[in-house]
Amino acid sequence: MIRAESNLYTVMDAGETLRCRPRGRLRRLGQKVLVGDEVRFTVTAHGEGAIEEVLPRRNQLTRPPVTNVDQAVVVLSGREPEASLLTVDRLLVQALHEGLEVLLCLNKIDLLARGEEERWLGPYRAAGFPSCATSATTGAGLECMQAALRGRVSVFAGESGVGKSTLLNALVPALSLRTGRVSPKTGRGRHTTRHVELVPVAPDGLVADTPGLHAVGTPDIAPAELGSFWPELAALAAGCRFRGCLHREEPGCRVKEALAVGALDRGRYQRYLTLLQEVEQAYRRY
Ligand SMILES: Nc1nc2c(ncn2[C@@H]2O[C@H](COP(=O)(O)OP(=O)(O)OP(=O)(O)O)[C@@H](O)[C@H]2O)c(=O)[nH]1
Ligand SMILES: [Mg+2]
Ligand SMILES: [Zn+2]
C-alpha cells in the first residue's frame, strides 16, 4: 500500500495502482493499514479493491510512519545548509539500529569546490558506507541514486533544506512535491513536507518523502552496543584486549591504536564519543 487518504488506500501491484477500501473485518480487529504494508486484496465492483489482509511486517518506522522499509537515504549538503555531521551520524545510527541499510547522499555538489566532495564523503566511504554525490538542480549523480534505489523501499532522512524533495522531483519527473526555500537569514530550510507517500522510482523501487529531521534524539542503545553502529570501529573491536571495550580509555584498544597512526577519521571518532556520553547519561537514568 503506497498511499492513504482517510479510508481510501492506493495499492500497487505489478506496476498498476488500485484504489482500495479495507474490509470492515480489519477495522473491527483494530488492524491498521499503513503505508508500506503488503496486503492481500480482491477486486470489487467499479474497479475498486478490498483489502482482505495485512501481511506480517518486517519493520515499522514511526517517523515517517512507513513499514517494510529496506533502506534509509541520509541526505546532507556541504553548503546551504552546511551539514551537521553529528546529525548525520545520529541518523546513521538510528537507521542501522532500525535494521535498515543506509546510503549517504551528498547533495548540492554544484555549490562545492573541487575536492570538497571527498572531504565530506571520504570518512564515510572509508567506513564502508555506500554513497552518491548529487546535484538535484544540475542532475549530476542522479544515475548513482537510480541504481541505489532500484528494487527496494527507501526513506529519505536529513536536515531540512538539504534538498530531499528536490532530489525526489528530479528522480521522479512526474512528481511535484513541495520544496522549500532556504532562509537567507539562517541558511537553514523550513520543513515543508507534511504527508507520507511511497512513490515509484527506478525499476521496482519505492521511495517515501519524509519530513526532514531537525534533530533526532539520543539513540536507545546500550553504551557497549553503540560501537557496533560505527562499522570502522566494529571492524577493529574484536582485536581490543577487553570484550565490551568502549574504545575510550581502555588499554590494548585497537581503535585507539588505529587513531594514533591516522588510520581512522578523528571526526567520526569524536562524534562516537559524544554520542557515547549521551547514551551513558540516558542509560544511568534507568
Ligand atoms: N544549488 C542547489 N540547490 C538545491 C539543490 N537541491 C535542492 N536545492 C534547493 O534547496 C532548497 C531546499 O530544498 P528542498 O528539496 O525543499 O529540501 P528538503 O530537504 O526537502 O527540506 P524539508 O522538506 O524542509 O525537510 C530549495 O530552494 C531547492 O531548490 C542542489 O542540488 N543544488
Ligand atoms: Mg522536503
Ligand atoms: Zn577498543
Side-chain angles (χ1 to χ4, degrees):
M1 198 273 285
I2 60 169
R3 187 202 331 210
E5 293 155 299
S6 52
N7 213 24
L8 195 59
Y9 299 103
T10 305
V11 170
M12 193 153 93
D13 183 33
E16 304 278 313
T17 58
L18 184 69
R19 313 255 269 173
C20 292
R21 290 172 200 280
R23 287 282 185 217
R25 185 168 51 83
L26 286 185
R27 243 172 302 152
R28 283 194 295 280
L29 288 169
Q31 172 77 271
K32 278 204 171 151
V33 193
L34 300 175
V35 170
D37 271 337
E38 285 167 18
V39 299
R40 223 170 42 73
F41 67 91
T42 48
V43 178
T44 58
H46 318 298
E48 277 203 350
I51 296 177
E52 307 284 346
E53 189 187 349
V54 177
L55 302 183
R57 294 171 181 146
R58 278 179 284 126
N59 57 33
Q60 181 174 342
L61 307 188
T62 45
R63 285 203 313 180
V66 180
T67 67
N68 299 320
V69 177
D70 298 305
Q71 164 172 270
V73 181
V74 175
V75 185
L76 65 151
S77 53
R79 287 179 199 202
E80 300 176 28
E82 179 176 332
S84 153
L85 291 181
L86 187 58
T87 301
V88 169
D89 287 348
R90 270 183 215 280
L91 289 168
L92 291 176
V93 169
Q94 188 181 323
L96 293 172
H97 189 229
E98 303 266 17
L100 306 180
E101 295 171 50
V102 293
L103 170 74
L104 270 178
C105 174
L106 177 68
N107 188 38
K108 307 201 186 188
I109 55 168
D110 55 297
L111 301 179
L112 297 183
R114 207 174 273 268
E116 279 189 284
E117 175 190 323
E118 192 51 27
R119 191 165 62 75
W120 286 104
L121 288 180
Y124 292 94
R125 287 179 173 151
F129 290 105
S131 63
C132 293
T134 62
S135 168
T137 49
T138 69
L142 292 184
E143 8 19 272
C144 178
M145 290 293 286
Q146 294 278 3
L149 295 173
R150 69 191 308 165
R152 47 242 281 228
V153 177
S154 306
V155 297
F156 277 42
E159 287 180 88
S160 182
V162 296
K164 298 178 295 296
S165 299
T166 312
L167 267 170
L168 270 169
N169 282 330
L171 290 162
V172 191
L175 200 73
S176 113
L177 291 167
R178 300 210 306 145
T179 57
R181 290 219 175 77
V182 171
S183 153
K185 231 196 272 163
T186 61
R188 304 260 143 191
R190 284 172 296 121
H191 288 271
T192 47
T193 304
R194 290 279 169 260
H195 66 288
V196 182
E197 182 177 335
L198 289 176
V199 293
V201 281
D204 255 357
L206 289 169
V207 179
D209 182 24
T210 77
L213 296 173
H214 271 301
V216 281
T218 301
D220 183 19
I221 295 172
E225 304 289 320
L226 187 68
S228 67
F229 300 104
W230 258 258
E232 69 272 48
L233 305 194
L236 297 170
C240 292
R241 188 177 306 163
F242 299 109
R243 224 151 46 104
C245 182
L246 296 176
H247 320 305
R248 193 162 42 192
E249 304 290 339
E250 297 89 341
C253 173
R254 280 290 154 78
V255 169
K256 299 290 282 185
E257 288 168 17
L259 274 167
V261 299
L264 279 179
D265 179 66
R266 293 218 155 252
R268 283 271 295 163
Y269 176 69
Q270 285 302 332
R271 296 190 292 277
Y272 162 74
L273 291 183
T274 302
L275 285 187
L276 180 61
Q277 205 173 8
E278 272 186 27
V279 162
E280 282 179 329
Q281 273 163 11
Y283 213 63
R284 273 192 225 108
R285 268 184 243 124
Y286 288 107

